[in-house]
Structure formats: C-alpha cells, structure tokens
Amino acid sequence: EVQLVESGGGLVKPGGSLRLSCAASGFTFTSYSMNWVRQAPGKGLEWVSSISSSSSYIYYADSVKGRFSISRDNAKNSLYLLMNSLRVEDTAVYYCVRDVKQLVLTGLDAFDIWGQGTMVTVSS
Amino acid sequence: EIVLTQYPGTLSLSPGEGATLFCRASQSVSSRSLAWYQQKPGQAPRLLIYGASSRATGIPDRFSGSGSGTDFILTISRLEPEDFAVYYCQQYASSPQTFGQGTKVEIK
C-alpha cells in the first residue's frame, strides 16, 4: 500500500523550532519529488516547499523562505521539514505529499498521495 | 502569483443532482496545469482531477474536469452521499503553485 506517515508536530512557542518527518512506503521514493502542504485551522491549502528526487532542486513559499528547510533521506525513504523562527501564523496541519508524475524538477505538479497530517501549534 | 477564485462558495444540492463548480485564474494557466481535490472533515485532501481533465486513479467517472486558459470547471454528474465535501482547485503552471479558497458542497 502506498503510504505517507507524518510525525513531529506539537505545541511550540513563537520563535521556537520543530522538525517534521514523513515516512514513505509502498512506492519507489527515489523516483518522486516530495512536498509539504499546510492548512491552517478552518482555512484552505497552502503549498510550503518542494524537493526533487535527488535533492538538487528545492523550492519554498515566500512565507517560509529563510525559516524552513526541507530535506530528504532516500536511504530511509524519509522526508523532513525543519521549521525555525516559528510564528503564530505557522499554526496548521502539515501534510507530506507526493507529486503525481515521476522525476519532476520544477517543483510544480499535482499531488496524488497525501499523509494524514501532523498538527503544529505555535502559541505562547 | 496566480490567484484562483472558486465559486460559488457553497452549493446546496440533493443526492442525485448534478453539481458544477468553477475555478477562475487571475492569469492564464498554461498547459492546463490545473487540479481538483476533494476534502472531507478531518481527512487529507484527495486528488480527483489533474491536467484539467484527467481523472486520478480510482476516481469514479461521475467526476469530470474541463476548461482552459483562465476558466475551469469540475462537474459531478450525480451526487452520491459521499460526495458532500469541500473541493479545491490548484494551479501548478507557475511558481508558487496556488490553491483556490474552496467550494463547499452541502446537502440541501
């Protein structure tokens, strides 16, 4: 079964840091770019970051550029998101998602596999 | 940044009726790089349509997508009880990829 499982969410104070992880299974992880998409409580979807299959191409939304860092470990079939200098407005469910097509380098694609999400709450 | 506007905000319909959802882009979406997702409360979104009109794996044929340029449509031919949800469009033609604000399809 194709599956993405996120972990690492929690409550953190403004200015703090958190590292999210995503474990992939059931498909050839090294063939796909991966992404993080977030959804604030009661709000819509916002793309956060993308990383190509070999980590050569990395993209960020302006709202997180300079604060968040995406990475992957293909040997462990895992995706990560290191979030620094967290703000109240970063509060959201964070989804790990897979590109529809293989080997996309542009950071632009639809998303066909989604994890269940992990909640990040930034509050004092 | 391409802004996507979805309308109507809410659609109140009965099971068995057809639904037409609209997504308008602030500028042309090249290569028909537009997708539609369905999201139910407490669940992750599910991809329905990509490339404006290609159904994703396992999606029933009552869901169809059409459109090009700045105007796109998601059509649900006959609503089943499980189709009542929020629907989002997404453009992935230019960076940053963006989502619409959603259309809620509710039971009348």
Side-chain angles (χ1 to χ4, degrees), chain A residues 39 43-47 50 95 100 107-112 114-115, chain B residues 35 37 39 43-45 47 50 88 90 92-97 99:
Chain A
Q39 185 171 36
K43 303 297 184 184
L45 302 165
E46 180 188 16
W47 167 78
S50 298
Y95 294 103
V100 166
L108 298 170
D109 200 7
F111 308 131
D112 66 341
W114 295 63
Chain B
Y37 299 85
Q39 187 177 34
Q43 295 185 18
L47 177 66
Y50 63 97
Y88 294 97
Q90 174 214 9
Y92 50 97
S94 70
S95 185
Q97 49 200 310
F99 293 87

Side-chain angles (χ1 to χ4, degrees), chain A residues 40-97:
Chain A
K43 303 297 184 184
L45 302 165
E46 180 188 16
W47 167 78
V48 172
S49 183
S50 298
I51 185 168
S52 63
S53 54
S54 62
S55 304
S56 298
Y57 296 87
I58 288 176
Y59 305 90
Y60 297 101
D62 285 347
S63 58
V64 306
K65 201 173 295 182
R67 301 187 298 121
F68 288 14
S69 176
I70 191 172
S71 61
R72 63 192 292 164
D73 184 336
N74 287 343
K76 294 183 178 178
N77 286 351
S78 293
L79 176 72
Y80 306 101
L81 186 68
L82 176 61
M83 304 184 294
N84 294 322
S85 303
L86 281 161
R87 304 167 180 168
V88 170
E89 55 265 33
D90 294 320
T91 295
V93 174
Y94 285 73
Y95 294 103
C96 169
V97 298

Side-chain angles (χ1 to χ4, degrees), chain B residues 10-77:
Chain B
T10 302
L11 211 44
S12 298
L13 296 166
S14 300
E17 290 190 293
T20 303
L21 287 66
F22 299 89
C23 177
R24 173 163 287 170
S26 60
Q27 53 190 282
S28 182
V29 176
S30 60
S31 304
R32 290 161 54 89
S33 298
L34 189 112
W36 290 92
Y37 299 85
Q38 175 194 69
Q39 187 177 34
K40 298 177 183 178
Q43 295 185 18
R46 178 174 72 143
L47 177 66
L48 301 174
I49 301 288
Y50 63 97
S53 60
S54 297
R55 266 187 303 276
T57 303
I59 301 304
D61 60 8
R62 64 179 182 274
F63 291 93
S64 63
S66 62
S68 63
T70 60
D71 294 290
F72 298 86
I73 297 171
L74 174 69
T75 302
I76 310 171
S77 58

